[in-house]
Amino acid sequence: MESSFWLNIFCLNIIVALVVVYSVPNTFVANKPCDFPAIFNFGDSNSDTGGLSAAFGQVPPPYGESYFHRPAGRYSDGRLIVDFIAEGLGLPYLSAYLDSVGSNFTHGANFATAGSTIRPQNISLHQGGFSPISLNVQLHQYNDFQHSSQIFRSQGGVFEGLLPKTEDFSRALYTFDIGQNDLWAGYLLNMTMDQIRAYVPDALEQFKTTIKDIYGHGGKSYWIHNTGPIGCLPYVLNSLLPGGDQVDKFGCASPFNEVAQYFNRKLKEIVVQLRKDLPLAAITYVDVYSVKYELISQAKKHGFEHPLRACCGHGGKYNYNKNMECGTKITVDGKQVLVAKSCKDPSVAISWDGVHFTEAANKWVFDQIVDGSFSDPPMPLKMARRKRHNH
Ligand SMILES: *[C@@H]1O[C@H](CO)[C@@H](O)[C@H](O)[C@H]1NC(C)=O
Ligand SMILES: *[C@@H]1O[C@H](CO)[C@@H](O)[C@H](O)[C@H]1NC(C)=O
Ligand SMILES: *[C@@H]1O[C@H](CO)[C@@H](O)[C@H](O)[C@H]1NC(C)=O
């Protein structure tokens, strides 16, 4: 098969090089050659490991409580899918590019920020809008990072232990999870679902431009998550007018899920075009939508409870109130009291705060996608660099 041939050639070069260096331990030769040395991630809150926190204020407790035991810049009670991807590849968790304290970029960097969109938005964060660090800005930051990290690394010293090697940019895995906020943005502007659909192609053109730019700078392996069933999330469900919107038999808002599926069909078309345009790229499209929908619609079967209720929130059918989001405190008798707090057992909850998934749900999703069962082509995470068998 062409694909394993390509992989063998790749591994062979490295092994030959290591055999020449006689003293390298065998285990290193056996385990390391085909692994990704770094991850560069782009996206929104689904994969933000501290970007928005560094620039616009920390997420409050009880975020992070289940795993980090403190807020850790992540919009969850613990780890995100991108953290499990890093673990799965034997790499440390990704530092946020914007985080200037304690960061270590030896094995990659994370450009995602919560609230990011593909298309730059015209409503700022302060107006209840979106992160200004849209995908085009993340690309600028990536290019700046690639350029300046190599200047500093060549100076040696402390930078050698903090920045990636030049060759790691072409050997890295480039991961993407973005688009959900582009869909939500139109809804906040009171657009109809048809009006939202109408700008999806423009958003995906901008996505395509980003991948092409990274490829132009040497990136070869791409792992692209499609967008999830936004219509099953408490923050969306809570915004529906009573009786006004269609809800499916699991309680999810069908119009939103249909627009997400439309986005995903178009994303898949873009991926097909990119494979033609970028012959040396290995592009894996991962159907996270189906995995998340399965989890939410069959929650009990998978050991979870109340799939449409936020674990951490305050009040209402979905335990979600946009004016009292997870971590909100109020002052009672001069004392700060946490009113939107965590549920008893986040390990059986799916929605953490009404917008984002719990660590347990993220882990479940990761476990389904890691072996390639939901990928096109059906390659496991570790093999996502293989050349596709192209016919
Ligand atoms: C922002 O405003 C500009 C100028 O009016 C417009 O061209 C662009 O489409 C707007 N962006 C979005 C995401 O609505
Ligand atoms: C950064 O992380 C790498 C890999 O985990 C490690 O080898 C290196 O020592 C770290 N750098 C510093 C300055 O701690
Ligand atoms: C959307 O509609 C709501 C309710 O009619 C209104 O309060 C809000 O200002 C509108 N938003 C925009 C951006 O037009």
Side-chain angles (χ1 to χ4, degrees):
M1 223 175 90
E2 184 197 327
S3 54
S4 53
F5 174 72
W6 197 90
L7 183 74
N8 284 338
I9 293 290
F10 177 81
C11 297
L12 203 64
N13 288 335
I14 306 261
I15 290 168
V16 168
L18 291 177
V19 168
V20 174
V21 185
Y22 202 63
S23 62
V24 169
N26 280 333
T27 50
F28 184 76
V29 177
N31 295 336
K32 283 294 167 197
C34 298
D35 292 351
F36 291 106
I39 300 167
F40 295 103
N41 182 68
F42 299 79
D44 55 27
S45 55
N46 288 313
S47 62
D48 181 357
T49 56
L52 199 80
S53 276
F56 295 99
Q58 259 287 356
V59 290
Y63 282 85
E65 65 168 18
S66 301
Y67 185 77
F68 301 99
H69 309 297
R70 61 177 174 85
R74 288 158 175 81
Y75 290 79
S76 180
D77 59 319
R79 289 165 288 180
L80 310 179
I81 296 174
V82 72
D83 293 315
F84 293 114
I85 289 177
E87 282 182 18
L89 295 175
L91 301 176
Y93 300 138
L94 291 183
S95 293
Y97 167 78
L98 290 172
D99 202 344
S100 50
V101 179
S103 286
N104 184 336
F105 301 111
T106 311
H107 295 290
N110 192 352
F111 302 92
T113 71
S116 286
T117 49
I118 300 171
R119 300 200 315 159
Q121 299 296 313
N122 294 322
I123 336 168
S124 80
L125 265 185
H126 299 289
Q127 298 162 305
F130 294 88
S131 166
I133 302 159
S134 43
L135 188 58
N136 59 323
V137 179
Q138 295 181 27
L139 180 64
H140 286 310
Q141 295 178 336
Y142 167 75
N143 285 329
D144 176 66
F145 177 79
Q146 188 182 30
H147 179 72
S148 32
S149 66
Q150 295 320 289
I151 294 174
F152 280 93
R153 198 170 195 282
S154 67
Q155 295 174 4
V158 66
F159 297 115
E160 258 176 12
L162 289 172
L163 298 168
K165 299 190 187 82
T166 306
E167 62 267 31
D168 290 351
F169 287 95
S170 55
R171 297 182 57 214
L173 184 64
Y174 289 81
T175 55
F176 295 82
D177 192 327
I178 195 161
Q180 181 176 322
N181 291 322
D182 288 86
L183 304 179
W184 184 239
Y187 187 73
L188 289 187
L189 292 170
N190 295 332
M191 287 185 177
T192 64
M193 291 298 157
D194 283 340
Q195 287 172 315
I196 295 174
R197 277 170 194 247
Y199 66 68
V200 165
D202 178 48
L204 290 170
E205 273 306 310
Q206 297 189 29
F207 182 80
K208 187 166 107 184
T209 305
T210 304
I211 304 271
K212 284 190 163 177
D213 192 292
I214 295 171
Y215 182 83
H217 286 87
K220 292 202 169 45
S221 307
Y222 301 88
W223 179 267
I224 300 170
H225 290 178
N226 68 6
T227 199
I230 180 175
C232 300
L233 303 181
Y235 82 107
V236 171
L237 291 166
N238 192 60
S239 77
L240 304 179
L241 302 170
D245 291 79
Q246 279 172 272
V247 164
D248 71 13
K249 63 179 172 186
F250 301 111
C252 300
S254 309
F256 283 92
N257 283 350
E258 280 158 18
V259 91
Q261 285 173 295
Y262 175 76
F263 177 94
N264 290 341
R265 280 197 298 279
K266 293 287 165 194
L267 174 62
K268 205 159 183 181
E269 288 173 20
I270 292 289
V271 166
V272 170
Q273 286 174 28
L274 282 168
R275 286 181 186 142
K276 289 200 183 108
D277 294 350
L278 315 176
L280 297 179
I283 308 178
T284 308
Y285 169 95
V286 188
D287 184 12
V288 168
Y289 180 99
S290 296
V291 178
K292 287 182 172 172
Y293 192 74
E294 167 68 21
L295 176 62
I296 292 165
S297 61
Q298 307 295 328
K300 264 220 169 73
K301 182 174 142 194
H302 301 302
F304 288 85
E305 290 171 0
H306 311 301
L308 303 180
R309 272 178 71 81
C311 164
C312 181
H314 187 83
K317 183 174 174 192
Y318 304 106
N319 195 35
Y320 176 83
N321 176 341
K322 74 173 173 4
N323 300 316
M324 256 187 229
E325 290 188 319
C326 179
T328 299
K329 287 177 176 164
I330 56 166
T331 309
V332 181
D333 298 334
K335 271 193 178 164
Q336 292 255 293
V337 181
L338 189 62
V339 281
K341 47 189 166 188
S342 174
C343 58
K344 276 209 180 66
D345 190 0
S347 75
V348 294
I350 294 174
S351 181
W352 164 245
D353 59 3
V355 186
H356 310 101
F357 288 73
T358 57
E359 166 170 294
N362 286 329
K363 174 76 165 65
W364 193 88
V365 172
F366 173 76
D367 288 344
Q368 311 308 305
I369 63 174
V370 64
D371 67 354
S373 304
F374 291 86
S375 295
D376 171 38
M379 292 293 185
L381 175 66
K382 284 190 177 178
M383 296 289 142
R385 71 157 70 255
R386 283 185 175 187
K387 185 83 180 72
R388 278 171 62 251
H389 199 73
N390 224 338
H391 286 292

